[in-house]
Each structure stands twice: as C-alpha cells, then as structure tokens.
Amino acid sequence: MIDLRAWLAGLDPTMLHLSTFGLLFLEGMGIPGIPGVLPMMAQVGLIDAGKTTLETTIFWGTMGNWLGSITGYAFGRWGGRFIPQRWQSRLESDQARDLLRRYGALTVVASRTIGALRTPVTLMAGAMRYPLVPYIILSLIGALIHIGLWQWVLWRFGMQVLPYLEKVGGRALAVTGALVALALLLRWRLARRRAAQEAAQES
C-alpha cells in the first residue's frame, strides 16, 4: 500500500515549485483539461513536512496562473490567425463577449476561477482588445484569489483526506484509471466523428 504522506514529503521542493508553475501557467493560458489541483495537492505534503510554506506555494501557483493568463490574452490579441479554422467557432463565445462588455473587470477576475469561462474569456479579452494594463492587474487579482483560496483549502483539509485515500489502495486507482482511459477514448472518437462531419459539410 502506498504511503502517500511519506511519498509527498519526499518530493523535491524546487522541482515541485517548477511543476506547479508550469501546469498552472498552461491552465492560466486557457488550455482545457490541465489538472492544476494536483501539484497544489502535492504542495500540501511539502508544507506538512516543513519543506515549504503556504505563502511560497501560493506565490508559485499565482505567478504561473497569472503569466499564463497574460500569454493567453496575447495569443488571442495577436496570434488569432494561428488558431486552426475549425476551432475558431468554439473559441468565439458570445457569452464571453457579452460578459466582458457588461461586467468587464468582474468577468476577468472570475474567469481565473471558473473553468468554463477561463478559455473563452482569456482569448476573447485579447481578441476584443480589452485594455492591456487593466487586464494584467485584474488577472493578477483573479489568479491570487483563485490559487490562494484553493491552496489554503487543500492545506487546511487536504491532509485529512490522505488516510482515506491510502485505505482505498491500488484497486480504486486502477478503476479510476480505467474510467479516465474510457472517457478519453470516447472523447477522441467523438472528436474524430465531429471532424469528419465538419469536413463533409465543408466539401
């Protein structure tokens, strides 16, 4: 049986900080499916072992999410022509456009936490040429709220969950892995079917 507490405590702090920064940078850009909560959960083990602090983990996570959001904004503003044509309609969200026009600042801040808004709002803010300096400031506020709250909750309650995870053991992990693999397979098949239908319509 895996001793998760001991395994997490044995992780290298520098590598985990860099991994946290990298994953949350990708999440902040708006790339869907990035498991940003995993490195934050691992950070809890290092905090519990006295190898890092809550403030340090929040710093690395916030920097990653914030700089990722600025990169996503820049891509939406200056790199839209590089987005494949078949993705354009998915990224051009009327909801994101309306929210940015009506609630501006609040939408940018909330998009750091609400996953369904993160991708369209980040790219749409750039495409709509939302003012850069306010976006930088608002996305920093949103990233700090998002990462700070999640990291604190995981630090406060996460280690209490580990003993239950250890009891579950490898069998539950195997079942979870199988379900994830099945979901990815179904998603891949649906994506291929959708691409084939779009290609047929274009032809």
Side-chain angles (χ1 to χ4, degrees):
M1 186 178 296
I2 300 174
D3 186 347
L4 289 177
R5 190 183 297 265
W7 181 79
L8 291 173
L11 295 176
D12 178 66
T14 301
M15 291 303 298
L16 184 55
H17 292 329
L18 292 175
S19 298
T20 300
F21 176 90
L23 282 175
L24 290 172
F25 178 91
L26 295 176
E27 180 189 73
M29 280 184 65
I31 298 177
I34 301 298
V37 71
L38 293 183
M40 289 196 286
M41 188 67 201
Q43 292 280 14
V44 173
L46 290 187
I47 297 173
D48 188 64
K51 291 186 174 181
T52 190
T53 64
L54 178 64
E55 292 78 12
T56 301
T57 62
I58 291 175
F59 170 81
W60 282 100
T62 299
M63 288 297 102
N65 189 280
W66 177 48
L67 294 177
S69 72
I70 296 173
T71 303
Y73 171 95
F75 194 80
R77 183 163 181 170
W78 294 290
R81 63 183 181 278
F82 298 113
I83 301 175
Q85 188 63 36
R86 60 192 178 90
W87 290 0
Q88 293 284 351
S89 60
R90 301 177 190 176
L91 298 179
E92 294 175 357
S93 168
D94 291 335
Q95 180 189 23
R97 190 188 301 273
D98 291 342
L99 286 173
L100 279 168
R101 285 175 175 169
R102 291 184 182 183
Y103 305 108
L106 182 60
T107 302
V108 174
V109 172
S111 69
R112 295 296 90 209
T113 298
I114 303 173
L117 292 178
R118 188 178 297 118
T119 301
V121 168
T122 301
L123 295 173
M124 188 60 65
M128 291 177 60
R129 298 187 176 276
Y130 189 91
L132 178 59
V133 173
Y135 182 86
I136 290 174
I137 296 172
L138 293 169
S139 60
L140 174 59
I141 295 172
L144 183 58
I145 293 172
H146 170 55
I147 301 299
L149 181 60
W150 264 106
Q151 191 67 75
W152 181 84
V153 169
L154 291 171
W155 167 71
R156 182 65 179 83
F157 303 105
M159 295 307 290
Q160 300 175 17
V161 177
L162 286 182
Y164 298 99
L165 295 178
E166 292 170 353
K167 290 180 181 179
V168 171
R171 186 174 301 175
L173 292 177
V175 172
T176 302
L179 291 174
V180 170
L182 178 61
L184 291 174
L185 178 61
L186 291 174
R187 183 177 179 180
W188 175 73
R189 288 177 64 88
L190 289 173
R192 286 193 62 186
R193 183 178 301 176
R194 188 179 297 112
Q197 292 174 348
E198 291 176 356
Q201 291 175 356
E202 290 176 359
S203 62

